[in-house]
Amino acid sequence: MNKVVLKPKVQKKFSLYCPFTNEKLYNEDSSFEVYEGAGNYLFSICEDCLFVDAGNNEEIESYWKNSALEAIEKFVENHKEENILVIEVQADDTYWYGFLNEDNIELTDEELEKKFIK
């Protein structure tokens, strides 16, 4: 699984963006919960708050048995042919986001964080 872990500094206001297309995801300022995606967005999950936005993806929701991470791992495993980047954000809660990296863009963790959280 292609996964990066981000531990962002606390910010009062921020927006979230697709790191590959720079399209803005719909979230409230200062919230890591995504209500609607854009760009190459596939899903977001917060295990602690049980918030799930799987981009209308019933498949990943069906894998949620014991933990969000297990559901994500199973989803990615079943889609090996697609280049899925999983971003784990460790803030007050832990959030996971999935993006399709269609063009195999290579970004450092720092570049990814700057493109994803603005």
Side-chain angles (χ1 to χ4, degrees):
M1 180 166 68
N2 185 12
K3 183 177 100 168
V4 298
V5 177
L6 304 179
K7 298 177 183 179
K9 296 174 180 68
V10 177
Q11 300 175 8
K12 291 187 179 189
K13 285 190 169 190
F14 60 85
S15 295
L16 301 176
Y17 293 81
C18 174
F20 303 116
T21 66
N22 294 320
E23 293 177 69
K24 188 177 186 309
L25 307 176
Y26 177 65
N27 72 305
E28 292 180 13
D29 291 341
S30 73
S31 171
F32 283 103
E33 293 181 358
V34 172
Y35 301 108
E36 188 176 329
N40 293 3
Y41 170 83
L42 296 174
F43 64 82
S44 64
I45 297 176
C46 171
E47 187 166 50
D48 295 335
C49 60
L50 299 178
F51 179 88
V52 177
D53 170 24
N56 296 321
N57 189 330
E58 293 178 11
E59 179 185 356
I60 195 168
E61 291 184 61
S62 71
Y63 300 143
W64 189 310
K65 303 292 185 235
N66 298 314
S67 77
L69 187 56
E70 286 178 18
I72 293 164
E73 288 171 343
K74 181 148 181 131
F75 177 79
V76 172
E77 177 70 22
N78 287 339
H79 295 275
K80 289 181 193 174
E81 70 284 354
E82 299 176 34
N83 189 6
I84 298 174
L85 170 67
V86 176
I87 299 173
E88 178 178 323
V89 175
Q90 296 177 352
D92 292 338
D93 291 316
T94 300
Y95 298 84
W96 292 273
Y97 305 89
F99 293 94
L100 186 60
N101 186 358
E102 293 176 315
D103 298 325
N104 297 317
I105 298 170
E106 292 188 31
L107 299 169
T108 66
D109 291 2
E110 294 80 19
E111 290 171 323
L112 192 78
E113 185 171 354
K114 286 180 186 175
K115 287 179 162 276
F116 179 57
I117 304 171
K118 298 180 187 178

